[in-house]
Amino acid sequence: MRVVVLTGAGISAESGVPTFRDADGLWEGHRVEDVATPEAYDAAPMVVHQFYDARRAALDGVEPNPAHVALGRLEAALGDDLFLVTQNIDDLHERGGSTRVLHMHGELRSALCRACGARTEWAGPMGDFPPCPGCGVTELRPDVVWFGEIPYEMDTIVAELQRADLFVSIGTSGAVYPAAGFVQYAARHGARTLELNLVESEGTSFFHESRNGPAGTLVPAWVDEVLAQL
Ligand code: APR
């Protein structure tokens, strides 16, 4: 059985990473649409850097929760039959034991050079405009996919959705495309579809089955079900 799992901000909520659209549409006081665009960066790079520098620094203070750990267990059991794609830019899946994670919206702990295109692992701030380790130009930006940009590795994701037997969406509002469309695409190609989310999402009606509750409870229970059937 080939399983594709898509995760969103909800899976990291119980770790203390704020979601984007739960509290009045604000992300730590900023509308995400006001900082996560190339236009916002061109207009005020320092504001955008401060925003992401704070998010990056905050990763040091959070830990994976039982949902991340359960997906690590699932990978250990399914191996290549599991494809995990996340919209999250945190690194909690990796710290929870997943070794193959496709970050379709990029990663906080990565820098993208606007001059040479190199992607470099990055732990510290970028707001002090450091030089790119590759080319030396001071044009590093967060390696995250902003509104109006194309998510990473869509070809790989589409191919995986086409051959999935089961598509599971965890902790995502279904508000942002293309990820919000994966459920219908997978279903059209024959997959059964399951949603695990705190509450009904914008996409709930597209799933064969939807379970509501915290990811830290729902995900380990679902993984146990899958493992019992192997
Ligand atoms: N367990 C499960 N689901 C939860 C939990 C929880 N503990 N807490 C919140 N949720 C759900 C919310 O009900 C909501 O449906 O997680 C979802 C989070 O939705 P968003 O904040 O919109 O996050 P996400 O879907 O990941 O956003 C998609 O939008 O801004 C962009 O690039 C950004 O990747 C992000 C994309």
Side-chain angles (χ1 to χ4, degrees):
M1 179 175 68
R2 296 196 62 87
V3 181
V4 173
V5 172
L6 168 72
T7 64
I11 197 168
S12 296
E14 288 155 79
S15 294
V17 180
T19 61
F20 297 92
R21 293 180 181 76
D22 283 320
D24 303 328
L26 297 182
W27 193 30
E28 303 213 329
H30 301 268
R31 276 182 61 226
V32 64
E33 290 81 1
D34 290 341
V35 282
T37 67
E39 292 77 18
Y41 186 75
D42 288 339
M46 203 53 215
V47 173
V48 176
H49 275 307
Q50 281 168 352
F51 179 73
Y52 286 102
D53 283 353
R55 305 303 313 151
R56 191 177 309 104
L59 288 183
D60 290 337
V62 299
E63 297 292 336
N65 68 56
H68 300 105
V69 174
L71 291 180
R73 278 198 291 133
L74 188 63
E75 183 194 287
L78 293 182
D80 286 341
D81 284 339
L82 174 68
F83 180 75
L84 174 58
V85 52
T86 186
Q87 299 166 89
N88 297 345
I89 57 178
D90 66 51
D91 59 355
L92 292 176
H93 280 306
E94 286 84 352
R95 288 199 264 151
S98 294
T99 64
R100 291 186 309 276
V101 186
L102 198 162
H103 286 268
M104 64 179 287
H105 290 169
E107 295 178 68
L108 270 173
R109 284 189 161 151
S110 177
L112 173 65
C113 179
R114 303 217 303 171
C116 75
R119 300 171 73 188
T120 309
E121 212 175 293
W122 204 264
M126 274 176 231
D128 49 355
F129 298 99
C132 169
C135 71
V137 177
T138 53
E139 283 279 0
L140 292 181
R141 58 162 271 188
D143 187 11
V144 300
V145 175
W146 287 328
F147 289 98
E149 297 181 325
I150 296 175
Y152 286 127
E153 299 194 49
M154 283 302 296
D155 291 353
T156 305
I157 297 168
V158 164
E160 292 289 345
L161 291 170
Q162 284 174 357
R163 55 193 197 136
D165 299 304
L166 175 63
F167 171 77
V168 185
S169 172
I170 303 170
T172 178
S173 59
V176 177
Y177 283 80
F182 290 175
V183 54
Q184 289 161 288
Y185 190 79
R188 263 205 313 279
H189 287 83
R192 181 170 171 73
T193 58
L194 168 67
E195 175 178 63
L196 307 176
N197 204 58
L198 189 61
V199 294
E200 288 201 349
S201 74
E202 292 182 29
T204 294
S205 64
F206 299 126
F207 289 85
H208 293 113
E209 183 185 350
S210 181
R211 301 179 189 173
N212 293 150
T217 307
L218 289 186
V219 178
W222 168 69
V223 167
D224 287 343
E225 274 173 39
V226 174
L227 298 188
Q229 287 164 15
L230 291 180

